[in-house]
Amino acid sequence: MKMDSLLESTIEEAKEGLAEGGIPIGSVLAYNNKIIGRGHNRRIQKGSTILHAEIDAIENSGRESAHLFKESTLYTTLSPCSMCTGAILLYKIHHVVIGENLNFQGEEDLLESRGVKVDVVNNVECINLMKDFILNNSELWNEDIGEK
């Protein structure tokens, strides 16, 4: 799969999360351009404090070798928060493609300082999904980023 297709898969995950009543953030983990894990923010749906999209995608990839994670790329619709950045660093994922960082700027500088390649594409659909969600669900959004 090409980067555009992989990013489209993250958007599908985000939309699925929104349809379930959750926060529209999606993520996929790809090895050799093939999806090995996919997920979306399920904090609301599962009553979880930590089930962000990136964590869900990594979890859904299963127990993989450290080598596989080191050679994988994580795609996410939104800039990763501190928690998700920690998981990316822990598993030494070498490349992160971010759908957008205008509505929320996560720990991109930390990722880059630790040698992770970060590409921000500022995809219009990703931007609008989050902008609309934050506008209409500010309490849930603030809870998700630890502001409440």
Side-chain angles (χ1 to χ4, degrees):
M1 295 181 111
K2 293 184 177 183
M3 182 166 41
D4 289 346
S5 299
L6 291 163
L7 186 60
E8 186 58 41
S9 294
T10 68
I11 295 168
E12 290 169 14
E13 285 291 328
K15 288 178 179 178
E16 185 175 332
L18 183 62
E20 294 170 355
I23 298 167
I25 303 169
S27 184
V28 299
L29 185 64
Y31 175 74
N32 286 336
N33 293 317
K34 181 181 176 198
I35 294 173
I36 60 169
R38 59 187 312 138
H40 52 271
N41 187 306
R42 296 178 195 258
R43 288 189 61 257
I44 306 305
Q45 301 91 311
K46 298 282 187 178
S48 171
T49 53
I50 63 168
L51 202 47
H52 284 188
E54 298 89 341
I55 302 295
D56 196 35
I58 293 168
E59 170 71 13
N60 289 331
S61 71
R63 284 184 67 197
E64 297 291 351
S65 71
H67 171 74
L68 185 124
F69 285 116
K70 288 179 186 177
E71 298 298 319
S72 294
T73 299
L74 183 79
Y75 292 78
T76 181
T77 57
L78 187 66
S79 185
C81 71
S82 302
M83 177 180 65
C84 296
T85 294
I88 292 164
L89 294 174
L90 176 69
Y91 290 104
K92 297 176 177 60
I93 296 168
H94 81 287
H95 186 196
V96 177
V97 177
I98 298 168
E100 73 106 343
N101 68 356
L102 300 178
N103 288 295
F104 177 78
Q105 172 106 28
E107 299 292 338
E108 297 163 32
D109 291 342
L110 177 57
L111 288 169
E112 289 177 328
S113 77
R114 299 283 294 275
V116 177
K117 181 180 180 195
V118 175
D119 289 315
V120 180
V121 297
N122 281 324
N123 173 280
V124 172
E125 193 169 8
C126 292
I127 294 166
N128 290 335
L129 264 172
M130 281 312 300
K131 183 174 74 172
D132 292 344
F133 181 82
I134 292 168
L135 183 66
N136 295 308
N137 303 278
S138 60
E139 268 191 52
L140 285 178
W141 172 243
N142 286 331
E143 178 187 320
D144 196 63
I145 59 171
E147 296 293 328
K148 180 181 175 186

